[in-house]
Amino acid sequence: MSIETLTQFLAPTYENFPKGRTIGMVVLRKTQSELILRTEGSGEPMCSEFVQAGFQHKNSLQRLVMTKRKQVAPERRFGREQLRGFELLYPNKDGAVCSLNTNAPCEMCIDCFLYGFAAGGGGAQKSRVWTEDAFSLLPTSETVAERTINAIFETGTMRDENGKASTALNTSEYIKPGVHFLDVVTLKDMTADEMRYVLGNILMTPRYGAVSSRIGRMENQILGIFGGITELPSSLELVQSLYDALIEANTPLEHPFDTDLLVEMTKGAIATWTNRRGISRQLTEEQLTDVIADVDRHWDGERETFLKRLDRSYETFRKPPAKASSSRKGKKNAEPVTPEG
Amino acid sequence: MSLLTTIENTRANLPLFKQARLVELWCAEPVFFASRELSDAYYTEGVLGNYALAYALGWVRSPYRLSGTATWRPTYLEDLGGLSDCYVLPAWPKQGKVTFRWERFNALSDSYWYAMTNNRVATSREDLPVQREGKKPNSFRPSNFPQSGRLRTIARGNLFQTLVFGNRELPDYIRVGKFMSKVRVEVISELKQVALSEGMYQSSAYLNTADLPAELQMLSFDLISIPPAPLVKNLRFQGAAWQFGEIIVPVGICFCGGGIK
Ligand SMILES: [Zn+2]
């Protein structure tokens, strides 16, 4: 029951009105295999952005970006697989089982209550899991590689029986294994069980980005948990402060970067955060380990009991999804579908 | 006698701000508001609206679950109209210019399986067997939600400034826009109010037209048309004014012109 260390910053039950209880987490995401994070159509092959390298060092640096969408979608999917397994996803207004990316969510399941939804007919829930774009510490020159894909013919050559050359020659970029992303996740007005659920999703989601059986593996580790009434600094500011520390210590910006060193540096950088206004407590190393063990325990032996208990906690707040109101029907929705799911 | 006249001339709920803080807002993430829509493109204007800021600063608590009419009818008047101890101006770009970034969105990128059907991205794999039987599955029904398009967002790293009136404590970070983008809040300076008597003034701030006193004589301005209420900049007006640092605003500026009368 070690998550109770955070009781002061957790809600006793789901409530509809925000009360400023804020849990901030620093997440280290490390690629375990090749990873492909493509931008959606801006022309660049891999998600990256020029940003200021550090606070002191104001030169610009191209870093990989893992957008909030690329994080939260697979994490939600992981949780929803579990919910589906225990039949904890509910039918939507059309009678179909709750699913992401449609305008007919069930409005009743754990995922809907935590990560939010916007239903086409009216009805919406704001997400209480606030993610943000994560950045690589090292520049893309170190973290991205290129691969040439060629489709050879059955003859084992690039020419077919008639001597025609293969056109299936392509180069594609990928993120190398062993690349570190630093990330800040915020949980708002969450109950202990809800926090366990979200943490489980983060710790157990195996793959991100473009999906295949060979690529996209990523391991997530929680480096710090904070409780307070306000948010932690952004992930960009975190990598910027680490960059300054790296330069200060004459550590080369080279891949592969030593994970132990990175963890140590990050913990050093975030240790001062409790001095900021509104961030009142950081869990000690021991308490942090306890919380992770608590989460593992709930997701391991007690998973069914835990998920069903969390599901029951929404009982009194549940309302079956409303049919679209006649005044609203047919009216074009001015807001685009949030590409969050 | 003179005291009486002053009271009579002052609207009952008119806020009197003795101080303001000049605040800088740094966009740690790209910021998106659906300010304008043209075909499949959604444009964010280069401004952070003050109603959005008031919610983001936590001055009003809007519920996590919205149902029924609340999902599309905003409650600015009910929520903000009663606030008399604080006010915030729409935030203007510090360098006068905003850099934007285009993003493509589609509702299909992250799904294991999808198909484009009647203006609708079908994502439910369970519907496949139903489709094979020649029936029309649920997820194949037409959608009146846009399923793909382009977004113009305010790029990461843009700096905005605004004035925050009153003494309420400010958070270090806020979330704004449709995608809850993180924005850092930094107080640059504390400013005392200087009362300026009736006259002709020019304001360098961005002002929300819904928050200006009804009787204000507006002589000239540039209009920024965004929902929920248009903003003006470079306003020249006739009337009494307050000066905070270099910024002049009409006396009596407040949320929704003072709320429900
Ligand atoms: Zn649901």
Side-chain angles (χ1 to χ4, degrees):
Chain A
M1 286 296 128
S2 36
I3 221 164
E4 265 69 65
T5 325
L6 291 160
T7 299
Q8 197 190 337
F9 313 104
L10 292 168
T13 167
Y14 170 77
E15 283 166 64
N16 215 359
F17 279 90
K19 284 201 173 151
R21 290 164 294 211
T22 310
I23 299 217
M25 305 194 294
V26 174
V27 184
L28 172 63
R29 302 176 181 273
K30 184 187 172 193
T31 56
Q32 305 286 83
S33 70
E34 292 166 11
L35 170 71
I36 294 172
L37 298 173
R38 287 198 196 91
T39 50
E40 264 135 294
S42 73
E44 281 171 279
M46 204 56 62
C47 281
S48 64
E49 218 173 296
F50 280 97
V51 289
Q52 192 173 306
F55 285 113
Q56 260 92 65
H57 300 87
K58 295 186 194 299
N59 54 304
S60 101
L61 194 69
Q62 193 177 20
R63 285 195 168 101
L64 292 171
V65 184
M66 188 177 180
T67 60
K68 40 175 98 184
R69 194 152 76 231
K70 300 268 185 229
Q71 301 164 33
V72 83
E75 286 164 11
R76 288 182 74 173
R77 268 206 308 265
F78 172 83
R80 295 172 66 93
E81 280 173 17
Q82 307 299 314
L83 298 183
R84 197 172 298 118
F86 294 111
E87 298 189 342
L88 296 174
L89 292 176
Y90 292 80
N92 67 14
K93 63 176 161 62
D94 303 323
V97 172
C98 185
S99 80
L100 287 175
N101 265 338
T102 60
N103 57 7
C106 77
E107 312 185 16
M108 294 194 278
C109 69
I110 295 172
D111 181 79
C112 280
F113 267 91
L114 267 170
Y115 292 89
F117 62 83
Q125 170 92 34
K126 293 176 191 163
S127 176
R128 285 175 293 131
V129 183
W130 296 358
T131 50
E132 58 182 276
D133 296 349
F135 286 88
S136 65
L137 175 65
L138 300 182
T140 51
S141 56
E142 286 293 313
T143 50
V144 171
E146 228 175 50
R147 156 153 311 169
T148 306
I149 301 161
N150 51 25
I152 48 173
F153 290 101
E154 269 185 55
T155 55
T157 70
M158 290 297 290
R159 290 187 183 274
D160 69 6
E161 285 155 13
N162 303 321
K164 257 180 83 188
S166 167
T167 51
L169 186 73
N170 213 343
T171 55
S172 68
E173 282 191 323
Y174 64 91
I175 298 165
K176 295 173 187 172
V179 170
H180 301 102
F181 288 85
L182 280 163
D183 197 5
V184 174
V185 175
T186 308
L187 311 178
K188 283 286 293 180
D189 295 302
M190 214 156 266
T191 65
D193 273 348
E194 287 180 324
M195 182 176 170
R196 289 179 180 115
Y197 182 83
V198 176
L199 265 170
N201 287 352
I202 293 173
L203 293 171
M204 283 180 279
T205 296
R207 291 177 195 279
Y208 293 83
V211 186
S212 97
S213 57
R214 285 183 303 107
I215 60 164
R217 285 201 66 85
M218 183 169 246
E219 191 176 271
N220 298 323
Q221 193 183 342
I222 311 289
L223 300 187
I225 299 185
F226 297 78
I229 53 164
T230 183
E231 286 202 65
L232 301 178
S234 64
S235 56
L236 178 54
E237 289 167 292
L238 177 56
V239 294
Q240 286 171 334
S241 65
L242 285 176
Y243 180 89
D244 288 342
L246 266 170
I247 300 290
E248 180 86 7
N250 269 319
T251 317
L253 288 168
E254 277 170 15
H255 180 80
F257 198 86
D258 180 21
T259 304
D260 291 340
L261 176 63
L262 181 71
V263 168
E264 190 193 310
M265 287 176 68
T266 309
K267 289 190 172 174
I270 65 178
T272 57
W273 284 1
T274 37
N275 302 338
R276 289 173 185 244
R277 182 164 15 101
I279 305 169
S280 56
R281 184 181 302 165
Q282 179 180 11
L283 294 190
T284 62
E285 276 302 296
E286 204 190 339
Q287 289 168 332
L288 179 62
T289 314
D290 283 354
V291 166
I292 304 304
D294 173 307
V295 171
D296 285 341
R297 198 165 57 242
H298 277 83
W299 275 93
D300 191 16
E302 301 167 32
R303 191 186 321 165
E304 184 169 4
T305 331
F306 156 61
L307 291 176
K308 288 188 169 165
R309 181 176 70 214
L310 177 53
D311 176 72
R312 267 197 314 276
S313 73
Y314 301 119
E315 205 62 65
T316 49
F317 301 96
R318 239 171 228 144
K319 265 185 285 174
K323 300 273 178 200
S325 71
S326 55
S327 65
R328 192 66 184 149
K329 219 170 197 169
K331 208 165 172 182
K332 190 165 183 271
N333 198 305
E335 305 270 281
V337 148
T338 54
E340 282 167 313
Chain B
M1 187 62 197
S2 65
L3 184 71
L4 249 176
T5 13
T6 335
I7 292 166
E8 275 168 12
N9 289 342
T10 313
R11 268 207 339 262
N13 53 357
L14 186 76
L16 178 70
F17 298 113
K18 287 283 184 203
Q19 56 258 310
R21 280 160 289 179
L22 181 65
V23 166
E24 202 162 278
L25 303 169
W26 174 72
C27 303
E29 299 189 280
V31 174
F32 174 73
F33 288 100
S35 312
R36 268 186 303 141
E37 183 193 341
L38 276 173
S39 178
D40 74 337
Y42 298 82
Y43 292 78
T44 309
E45 284 297 340
V47 58
L48 303 178
N50 62 331
Y51 291 5
L53 290 175
Y55 284 96
L57 288 167
W59 292 351
V60 207
R61 296 192 313 180
S62 62
Y64 286 122
R65 174 70 61 111
L66 302 167
S67 52
T69 55
T71 49
W72 52 273
R73 189 189 72 87
T75 51
Y76 303 115
L77 192 63
E78 294 92 321
D79 290 349
L80 302 167
L83 289 173
S84 55
D85 68 320
C86 55
Y87 183 71
V88 59
L89 291 175
W92 60 89
K94 191 190 175 189
Q95 261 90 36
K97 264 211 315 249
V98 178
T99 49
F100 294 103
R101 183 172 103 165
W102 281 98
E103 280 174 31
R104 180 155 280 286
F105 78 88
N106 54 54
L108 46 87
S109 63
D110 287 311
S111 158
Y112 286 121
W113 176 88
Y114 59 81
M116 196 71 192
T117 62
N118 307 322
N119 180 34
R120 135 78 97 217
V121 182
T123 53
S124 178
R125 183 125 212 180
E126 291 82 15
D127 283 340
L128 268 181
V130 184
Q131 189 199 11
R132 285 199 197 103
E133 285 167 28
K135 291 178 197 146
K136 203 175 212 182
N138 271 316
S139 74
F140 281 58
R141 298 226 180 102
S143 166
N144 58 6
F145 259 61
Q147 303 279 306
S148 71
R150 294 180 307 135
L151 310 175
R152 186 177 81 166
T153 64
I154 295 170
R156 195 190 311 276
N158 272 286
L159 274 177
F160 289 83
Q161 283 191 334
T162 186
L163 278 189
V164 177
F165 301 80
N167 300 320
R168 290 204 184 194
E169 204 176 311
L170 298 174
D172 287 339
Y173 295 89
I174 54 173
R175 297 276 182 160
V176 298
K178 181 101 180 150
F179 304 129
M180 300 281 284
S181 310
K182 200 168 196 171
V183 168
R184 187 179 65 203
V185 179
E186 220 172 332
V187 176
I188 301 299
S189 57
E190 313 255 348
L191 306 164
K192 289 250 172 299
Q193 181 232 93
V194 179
L196 304 176
S197 54
E198 186 88 13
M200 185 127 69
Y201 299 103
Q202 169 123 18
S203 181
S204 59
Y206 283 31
L207 304 162
N208 187 325
T209 51
D211 298 345
L212 293 170
E215 63 277 12
L216 186 76
Q217 285 186 57
M218 297 165 70
L219 305 173
S220 67
F221 51 83
D222 300 324
L223 195 73
I224 306 168
S225 178
I226 59 162
L231 309 181
V232 290
K233 59 177 181 178
N234 301 321
L235 173 69
R236 262 162 48 81
F237 64 94
Q238 173 79 43
W242 284 330
Q243 184 167 5
F244 296 93
E246 286 165 8
I247 295 159
I248 293 172
V249 297
V251 163
I253 192 162
C254 60
F255 287 118
C256 310
I260 309 154
K261 305 230 166 64

